[in-house]
């Protein structure tokens, strides 16, 4: 059973396996032959879920299109040592079919890996691209009505929204997958969730994945919700004779999968304030872009307000500062701020979501289409920081304990720097973990509203991140934990036994 507040790591499977082939001098290594020590190292770090990105059969058409993308070519040209079009592969989010990519192994190897990870106390998660398929996915020709269709007039009016497909003597105009706020994904075909046949097909895909993995990260889930689907494609759906269903696809689909696989995990990529709605229809966890945006663009007061949300919502939120869609946090936030944000993500309620490049302190954003190894130089300080942070937060108190948001009061009436401090605690049996984060520039002083019994004139508290004891006079524990001089973007995790 998955513990509360689990730890997940996202791995770029294609590049990671290539790195291991070089490391072990085994050019033919597949998923089933990855040495156990690699998986055990992830378990030792405290990871519960391994999310392997890009395991499915790739699309030749997606690769062709990516190799003609000027922005993509410029991006990989600037990646050291510099690459040309031959280094560009298909997007993992343009799935040709839900079979294991032959470069990664035979079909049976995915299920075998699931069983191996389960024996080590971990779960295997893979992708479901729920909004669209690759435009050359065989299903586009087998069931063209399972996709959004336009007319020739639609195609002429919006050639960037549709592609032409010949069906005997007839021409069809299939919509590209699209987020209405951005240009269409021109290597994809947009699924029609108002067609019962589409829902049946996607359910069968989910049931098949349920045999091979322990969970799915579902891409762009909000685009498949009835209301959003209707808003984006309504005129074409009405013209095609499709009515908006009463129920969301996910309600019955999640129920069907969990009837057969009760512990199967559903993680939704979802934005636009629809996270709570998506949790209500059955998803175990939803992306929490709100915390990311507050950490990156706002400040401690805004984050504190966000953390007062409903407890169940917090518990089912996926917290992150790095993933394949975002710029590396070390660049986006700045080094000090990124590490402080890392402590926030690691110590609040919810699924704690890490990226393989984040763990190693890699400062370049790598397009998922890159299929060749680049000059990847880990930052050893950042690597040690995350290894220590994960080890600290592997403690049962951070998973089975009671979380509480703590007020931080002024040290004195004239000093308002306490407003830039965040604090919370985890209590379990005789253990209390007190987390305090100074989330701004400058120095702060604050009185954390937590009761810690003094032991005579001075009390020593162990601070886990720095691996040292802090000595507090009894007056500094009177009425709370008084922290006089917290440096910019610093963090403490105090371990209190009582």
């Amino acid at each position: 059973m998955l513990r509360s507040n689990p730890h997940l790591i996202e791995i770029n499977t294609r590049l990671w396996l290539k790195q291991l082939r070089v490391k072990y001098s085994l050019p033919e290594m597949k998923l089933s032959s990855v040495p156990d020590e690699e998986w055990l190292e992830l378990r030792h770090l405290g990871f519960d879920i391994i999310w392997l990105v890009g395991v499915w059969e790739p699309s030749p058409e997606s690769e062709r299109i990516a190799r003609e993308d000027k922005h993509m070519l410029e991006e990989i040209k600037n990646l050291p040592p510099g690459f040309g079009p031959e280094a560009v592969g298909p997007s993992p989010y343009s799935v040709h079919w839900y079979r294991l990519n032959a470069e990664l192994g035979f079909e049976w190897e995915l299920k075998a890996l699931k069983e191996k990870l389960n024996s080590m106390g971990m779960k295997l998660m893979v992708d479901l691209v729920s909004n669209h398929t690759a435009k050359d996915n065989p299903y586009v020709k087998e069931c063209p009505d399972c996709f959004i269709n336009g007319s020739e007039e639609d195609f002429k009016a919006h050639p960037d929204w549709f592609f032409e497909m010949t069906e005997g003597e007839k021409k069809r105009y299939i919509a590209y997958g699209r987020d209405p706020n951005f240009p269409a994904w021109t290597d994809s075909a947009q699924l029609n969730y108002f067609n019962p046949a589409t829902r049946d097909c996607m359910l069968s895909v989910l049931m098949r994945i349920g045999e091979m993995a322990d969970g799915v990260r579902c891409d762009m889930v909000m685009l498949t919700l009835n209301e959003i689907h209707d808003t984006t494609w309504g005129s074409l759906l009405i013209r095609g004779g499709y009515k908006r269903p009463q129920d969301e696809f996910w309600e019955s689909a999640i129920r069907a999968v969990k009837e057969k696989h009760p512990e199967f995990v559903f993680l939704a990529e979802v934005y636009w304030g629809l996270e709570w709605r998506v949790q209500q229809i059955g998803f175990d966890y939803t992306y929490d872009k709100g915390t990311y945006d507050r950490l990156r663009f706002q400040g401690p007061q805004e984050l504190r307000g966000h953390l007062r949300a409903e407890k169940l919502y917090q518990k089912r939120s996926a917290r992150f500062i790095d993933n394949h869609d975002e710029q590396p946090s070390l660049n986006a936030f700045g080094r000090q701020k990124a590490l402080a944000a890392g402590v926030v993500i690691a110590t609040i309620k919810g699924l704690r979501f890490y990226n393989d490049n984040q763990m190693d302190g890699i400062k370049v954003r790598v397009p998922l289409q890159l299929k060749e190894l680049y000059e990847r130089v880990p930052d050893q300080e950042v690597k040690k920081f995350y290894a220590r942070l994960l080890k600290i937060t592997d403690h049962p108190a951070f998973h089975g304990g009671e979380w509480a948001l703590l007020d931080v009061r002024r040290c004195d009436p004239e000093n308002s720097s306490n407003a830039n401090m965040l604090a919370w605690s985890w209590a379990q049996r005789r253990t209390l973990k007190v987390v305090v984060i100074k989330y701004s520039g400058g120095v702060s002083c604050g009185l954390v509203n937590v009761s810690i019994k003094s032991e005579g004139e001075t009390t020593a508290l162990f601070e886990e991140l720095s691996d040292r004891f802090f000595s507090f006079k009894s007056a500094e524990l009177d009425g709370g934990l008084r922290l006089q001089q917290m440096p910019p973007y610093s963090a403490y995790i105090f371990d209190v036994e009582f």
Side-chain angles (χ1 to χ4, degrees):
M1 184 178 232
L2 194 63
R3 63 182 174 173
S4 295
N5 313 308
H7 297 173
L8 173 150
I9 185 166
E10 173 193 13
I11 294 175
N12 182 328
T13 314
R14 183 161 52 193
L15 294 186
W16 178 71
L17 194 56
K18 285 199 170 192
Q19 290 161 13
L20 293 182
R21 287 167 180 164
V22 172
K23 177 180 176 179
Y24 290 97
S25 301
L26 293 172
E28 301 303 317
M29 182 188 288
K30 307 291 186 186
L31 283 179
S32 64
S33 51
V34 170
D36 285 359
E37 64 197 76
E38 296 294 331
W39 303 117
L40 289 169
E41 182 181 348
L42 294 172
R43 185 70 195 107
H44 178 71
L45 284 169
F47 284 110
D48 303 282
I49 303 172
I50 310 300
W51 169 23
L52 294 183
V53 175
V55 300
W56 303 123
E57 185 175 276
S59 159
E61 183 67 2
S62 176
E63 180 172 296
R64 183 192 67 77
I65 290 167
R67 288 186 174 188
E68 295 174 358
D69 184 330
K70 290 180 181 178
H71 176 74
M72 173 73 62
L73 296 177
E74 188 64 27
E75 203 173 352
I76 65 158
K77 182 182 176 182
N78 293 327
L79 262 179
F83 297 99
E86 69 285 348
V88 176
S91 166
Y93 292 96
S94 180
V95 175
H96 189 258
W97 195 243
Y98 287 91
R99 281 188 290 261
L100 184 64
N101 182 347
E103 291 178 21
L104 307 178
F106 294 105
E107 187 75 359
W108 59 267
E109 294 187 54
L110 201 57
K111 186 174 183 180
L113 175 59
K114 167 189 176 292
E115 292 168 355
K116 177 185 282 189
L117 292 179
N118 291 171
S119 73
M120 295 176 177
M122 295 182 287
K123 289 182 177 287
L124 173 64
M125 180 173 281
V126 294
D127 285 297
L128 176 77
V129 185
S130 51
N131 182 63
H132 52 265
T133 71
K135 65 185 289 190
D136 55 348
N137 185 302
Y139 204 57
V140 178
K141 290 191 174 180
E142 289 173 21
C143 183
D145 289 328
C146 291
F147 297 83
I148 298 289
N149 282 244
S151 65
E152 186 175 359
E153 290 71 28
D154 295 322
F155 175 65
K156 287 177 179 177
H158 296 285
D160 54 335
W161 288 9
F162 300 89
F163 63 93
E164 188 180 290
M165 184 182 79
T166 303
E167 186 183 28
E169 295 183 0
K170 181 182 174 184
K171 287 185 178 178
R172 285 206 184 233
Y173 301 94
I174 308 292
Y176 295 123
R178 189 166 63 90
D179 174 333
N181 299 309
F182 296 97
W185 298 296
T186 57
D187 59 353
S188 70
Q190 174 67 53
L191 288 162
N192 173 5
Y193 272 90
F194 287 7
N195 185 341
T198 307
R199 293 184 168 210
D200 290 345
C201 175
M202 294 308 290
L203 176 58
S204 71
V205 169
L206 273 169
M207 296 301 289
R208 190 163 176 274
I209 291 174
E211 300 295 329
M212 297 185 281
D214 301 296
V216 281
R217 180 268 192 186
C218 301
D219 189 64
M220 301 296 277
V221 166
M222 70 282 185
L223 300 181
T224 67
L225 299 180
N226 290 342
E227 181 181 353
I228 306 301
H229 210 54
D230 201 355
T231 302
T232 308
W233 303 107
S235 61
L236 298 180
L237 291 164
I238 291 169
R239 193 193 304 160
Y242 297 102
K243 293 182 180 179
R244 177 170 163 172
Q246 288 190 331
D247 299 324
E248 299 288 356
F249 162 72
W250 297 103
E251 292 174 290
S252 57
I254 291 173
R255 189 164 55 246
V257 173
K258 292 211 173 202
E259 279 176 4
K260 191 166 186 185
H261 307 284
E263 294 183 19
F264 196 82
V265 179
F266 283 86
L267 167 62
E269 180 192 20
V270 55
Y271 310 108
W272 307 346
L274 291 166
E275 295 85 354
W276 177 240
R277 168 74 180 128
V278 168
Q279 289 180 15
Q280 288 179 311
I281 61 175
F283 276 86
D284 298 291
Y285 300 99
T286 57
Y287 269 39
D288 178 25
K289 188 70 157 46
T291 290
Y292 176 91
D293 287 341
R294 285 165 176 80
L295 286 169
R296 183 174 174 185
F297 301 113
Q298 298 178 2
Q301 305 236 33
E302 291 83 1
L303 179 63
R304 193 180 293 112
H306 187 58
L307 294 178
R308 290 194 174 101
E310 206 276 337
K311 284 186 178 181
L312 183 59
Y313 171 80
Q314 302 275 4
K315 184 178 179 180
R316 295 168 73 175
S317 293
R319 321 290 197 168
F320 60 86
I321 56 169
D322 278 88
N323 65 51
H324 66 258
D325 288 315
E326 308 295 347
Q327 290 296 326
S329 60
L330 291 174
N331 295 342
F333 290 69
R335 187 185 184 90
Q336 271 188 307
K337 187 175 178 179
L339 299 184
V343 178
V344 172
I345 294 303
T347 58
I348 56 178
K349 295 179 76 160
L351 182 147
R352 295 142 186 181
F353 171 170
Y354 299 86
N355 173 272
D356 54 353
N357 276 359
Q358 173 189 4
M359 293 290 298
D360 285 343
I362 303 301
K363 294 181 182 177
V364 295
R365 181 176 177 272
V366 181
L368 289 174
Q369 289 89 341
L370 182 70
K371 62 179 187 178
E372 299 298 337
L373 292 179
Y374 60 101
E375 291 178 6
R376 188 178 186 276
V377 183
D379 183 318
Q380 294 303 325
E381 272 189 40
V382 173
K383 192 170 181 176
K384 287 177 185 175
F385 167 81
Y386 275 114
R388 182 160 193 79
L389 180 61
L390 279 159
K391 195 65 186 168
I392 292 166
T393 54
D394 198 34
H395 189 282
F398 289 100
H399 300 275
E402 184 69 26
W403 182 84
L405 185 64
L406 304 175
D407 289 331
V408 183
R409 302 191 298 272
R410 293 187 181 205
C411 283
D412 60 70
E414 306 302 318
N415 188 339
S416 61
S417 62
N418 61 303
N420 296 317
M421 295 169 66
L422 296 161
W424 41 82
S425 65
W426 288 93
Q428 187 185 47
R429 296 178 183 172
R430 296 181 59 82
T431 297
L432 180 69
K433 304 284 187 181
V434 180
V435 181
V436 188
I437 298 156
K438 168 63 169 64
Y439 203 70
S440 73
V443 174
S444 282
C445 176
L447 187 64
V448 180
N449 187 26
V450 61
S451 177
I452 297 175
K453 187 179 178 181
S454 61
E455 300 170 353
E457 289 187 12
T458 61
T459 299
L461 296 181
F462 182 60
E463 197 289 300
E464 298 188 79
L465 286 169
S466 61
D467 197 26
R468 64 188 179 95
F469 284 92
F470 281 50
S471 184
F472 293 90
K473 294 177 182 177
S474 58
E476 292 175 317
L477 297 178
D478 186 21
L481 175 63
R482 183 179 293 269
L483 295 167
Q484 301 279 15
Q485 297 263 322
M486 277 201 81
Y489 295 107
S490 58
Y492 301 140
I493 300 176
F494 293 107
D495 179 40
V496 184
E497 300 288 338
F498 57 91

mmCIF file of all heavy atoms in Angstrom, residues 186-200:
data_model
loop_
_atom_site.group_PDB
_atom_site.id
_atom_site.type_symbol
_atom_site.label_atom_id
_atom_site.label_comp_id
_atom_site.label_asym_id
_atom_site.label_seq_id
_atom_site.Cartn_x
_atom_site.Cartn_y
_atom_site.Cartn_z
ATOM 1 N N THR A 186 1.065 19.735 -33.845
ATOM 2 C CA THR A 186 0.865 19.282 -35.227
ATOM 3 C C THR A 186 1.339 17.860 -35.498
ATOM 4 O O THR A 186 1.242 17.393 -36.628
ATOM 5 C CB THR A 186 1.561 20.254 -36.203
ATOM 6 O OG1 THR A 186 2.947 20.344 -35.867
ATOM 7 C CG2 THR A 186 0.927 21.636 -36.142
ATOM 8 N N ASP A 187 1.821 17.179 -34.475
ATOM 9 C CA ASP A 187 2.152 15.757 -34.647
ATOM 10 C C ASP A 187 1.074 14.867 -34.038
ATOM 11 O O ASP A 187 1.261 13.658 -33.913
ATOM 12 C CB ASP A 187 3.515 15.432 -34.026
ATOM 13 C CG ASP A 187 3.582 15.741 -32.528
ATOM 14 O OD1 ASP A 187 2.613 16.328 -31.991
ATOM 15 O OD2 ASP A 187 4.600 15.408 -31.893
ATOM 16 N N SER A 188 -0.080 15.467 -33.693
ATOM 17 C CA SER A 188 -1.083 14.718 -32.940
ATOM 18 C C SER A 188 -2.451 14.756 -33.606
ATOM 19 O O SER A 188 -2.699 15.544 -34.516
ATOM 20 C CB SER A 188 -1.190 15.302 -31.521
ATOM 21 O OG SER A 188 -1.789 16.586 -31.563
ATOM 22 N N ALA A 189 -3.355 13.900 -33.117
ATOM 23 C CA ALA A 189 -4.756 13.867 -33.560
ATOM 24 C C ALA A 189 -5.651 13.942 -32.329
ATOM 25 O O ALA A 189 -5.456 13.192 -31.364
ATOM 26 C CB ALA A 189 -5.040 12.590 -34.349
ATOM 27 N N GLN A 190 -6.630 14.839 -32.367
ATOM 28 C CA GLN A 190 -7.481 15.146 -31.212
ATOM 29 C C GLN A 190 -8.589 14.108 -31.032
ATOM 30 O O GLN A 190 -9.430 13.905 -31.914
ATOM 31 C CB GLN A 190 -8.105 16.525 -31.389
ATOM 32 C CG GLN A 190 -9.124 16.901 -30.334
ATOM 33 C CD GLN A 190 -8.506 17.072 -28.956
ATOM 34 O OE1 GLN A 190 -7.546 17.811 -28.812
ATOM 35 N NE2 GLN A 190 -9.067 16.395 -27.961
ATOM 36 N N LEU A 191 -8.601 13.454 -29.873
ATOM 37 C CA LEU A 191 -9.646 12.482 -29.566
ATOM 38 C C LEU A 191 -10.988 13.176 -29.326
ATOM 39 O O LEU A 191 -11.043 14.306 -28.848
ATOM 40 C CB LEU A 191 -9.254 11.667 -28.335
ATOM 41 C CG LEU A 191 -8.111 10.655 -28.567
ATOM 42 C CD1 LEU A 191 -7.500 10.217 -27.241
ATOM 43 C CD2 LEU A 191 -8.620 9.443 -29.349
ATOM 44 N N ASN A 192 -12.060 12.451 -29.652
ATOM 45 C CA ASN A 192 -13.433 12.943 -29.479
ATOM 46 C C ASN A 192 -14.072 12.200 -28.307
ATOM 47 O O ASN A 192 -14.535 11.072 -28.449
ATOM 48 C CB ASN A 192 -14.232 12.705 -30.765
ATOM 49 C CG ASN A 192 -15.710 13.027 -30.612
ATOM 50 O OD1 ASN A 192 -16.153 13.518 -29.578
ATOM 51 N ND2 ASN A 192 -16.477 12.743 -31.648
ATOM 52 N N TYR A 193 -14.095 12.851 -27.141
ATOM 53 C CA TYR A 193 -14.600 12.194 -25.939
ATOM 54 C C TYR A 193 -16.119 12.193 -25.845
ATOM 55 O O TYR A 193 -16.682 11.641 -24.897
ATOM 56 C CB TYR A 193 -13.983 12.824 -24.686
ATOM 57 C CG TYR A 193 -12.677 12.159 -24.322
ATOM 58 C CD1 TYR A 193 -11.471 12.624 -24.818
ATOM 59 C CD2 TYR A 193 -12.660 11.036 -23.504
ATOM 60 C CE1 TYR A 193 -10.276 12.006 -24.504
ATOM 61 C CE2 TYR A 193 -11.474 10.398 -23.178
ATOM 62 C CZ TYR A 193 -10.286 10.888 -23.679
ATOM 63 O OH TYR A 193 -9.113 10.257 -23.359
ATOM 64 N N PHE A 194 -16.801 12.777 -26.830
ATOM 65 C CA PHE A 194 -18.261 12.695 -26.851
ATOM 66 C C PHE A 194 -18.732 11.475 -27.641
ATOM 67 O O PHE A 194 -19.934 11.201 -27.701
ATOM 68 C CB PHE A 194 -18.874 13.968 -27.439
ATOM 69 C CG PHE A 194 -18.790 15.168 -26.518
ATOM 70 C CD1 PHE A 194 -18.068 15.120 -25.329
ATOM 71 C CD2 PHE A 194 -19.444 16.348 -26.842
ATOM 72 C CE1 PHE A 194 -17.991 16.221 -24.488
ATOM 73 C CE2 PHE A 194 -19.393 17.457 -26.001
ATOM 74 C CZ PHE A 194 -18.665 17.393 -24.815
ATOM 75 N N ASN A 195 -17.794 10.749 -28.237
ATOM 76 C CA ASN A 195 -18.116 9.522 -28.967
ATOM 77 C C ASN A 195 -17.907 8.334 -28.023
ATOM 78 O O ASN A 195 -16.792 8.121 -27.531
ATOM 79 C CB ASN A 195 -17.209 9.392 -30.187
ATOM 80 C CG ASN A 195 -17.567 8.197 -31.063
ATOM 81 O OD1 ASN A 195 -18.237 7.270 -30.623
ATOM 82 N ND2 ASN A 195 -17.110 8.213 -32.308
ATOM 83 N N PRO A 196 -18.930 7.537 -27.739
ATOM 84 C CA PRO A 196 -18.773 6.398 -26.833
ATOM 85 C C PRO A 196 -17.674 5.430 -27.276
ATOM 86 O O PRO A 196 -17.031 4.804 -26.428
ATOM 87 C CB PRO A 196 -20.154 5.719 -26.878
ATOM 88 C CG PRO A 196 -21.097 6.813 -27.278
ATOM 89 C CD PRO A 196 -20.321 7.691 -28.205
ATOM 90 N N ALA A 197 -17.448 5.323 -28.583
ATOM 91 C CA ALA A 197 -16.404 4.412 -29.070
ATOM 92 C C ALA A 197 -15.021 4.871 -28.625
ATOM 93 O O ALA A 197 -14.141 4.043 -28.336
ATOM 94 C CB ALA A 197 -16.462 4.320 -30.599
ATOM 95 N N THR A 198 -14.809 6.183 -28.576
ATOM 96 C CA THR A 198 -13.529 6.715 -28.093
ATOM 97 C C THR A 198 -13.342 6.353 -26.632
ATOM 98 O O THR A 198 -12.257 5.915 -26.205
ATOM 99 C CB THR A 198 -13.495 8.259 -28.236
ATOM 100 O OG1 THR A 198 -13.825 8.606 -29.570
ATOM 101 C CG2 THR A 198 -12.133 8.804 -27.873
ATOM 102 N N ARG A 199 -14.382 6.534 -25.856
ATOM 103 C CA ARG A 199 -14.300 6.221 -24.426
ATOM 104 C C ARG A 199 -14.004 4.741 -24.214
ATOM 105 O O ARG A 199 -13.202 4.372 -23.345
ATOM 106 C CB ARG A 199 -15.598 6.623 -23.725
ATOM 107 C CG ARG A 199 -15.813 8.143 -23.709
ATOM 108 C CD ARG A 199 -17.051 8.548 -22.932
ATOM 109 N NE ARG A 199 -17.068 9.997 -22.709
ATOM 110 C CZ ARG A 199 -17.617 10.593 -21.666
ATOM 111 N NH1 ARG A 199 -18.228 9.857 -20.730
ATOM 112 N NH2 ARG A 199 -17.582 11.903 -21.534
ATOM 113 N N ASP A 200 -14.640 3.882 -25.020
ATOM 114 C CA ASP A 200 -14.383 2.437 -24.905
ATOM 115 C C ASP A 200 -12.921 2.125 -25.221
ATOM 116 O O ASP A 200 -12.286 1.312 -24.537
ATOM 117 C CB ASP A 200 -15.294 1.661 -25.858
ATOM 118 C CG ASP A 200 -16.748 1.682 -25.429
ATOM 119 O OD1 ASP A 200 -17.024 2.037 -24.257
ATOM 120 O OD2 ASP A 200 -17.616 1.359 -26.266
#
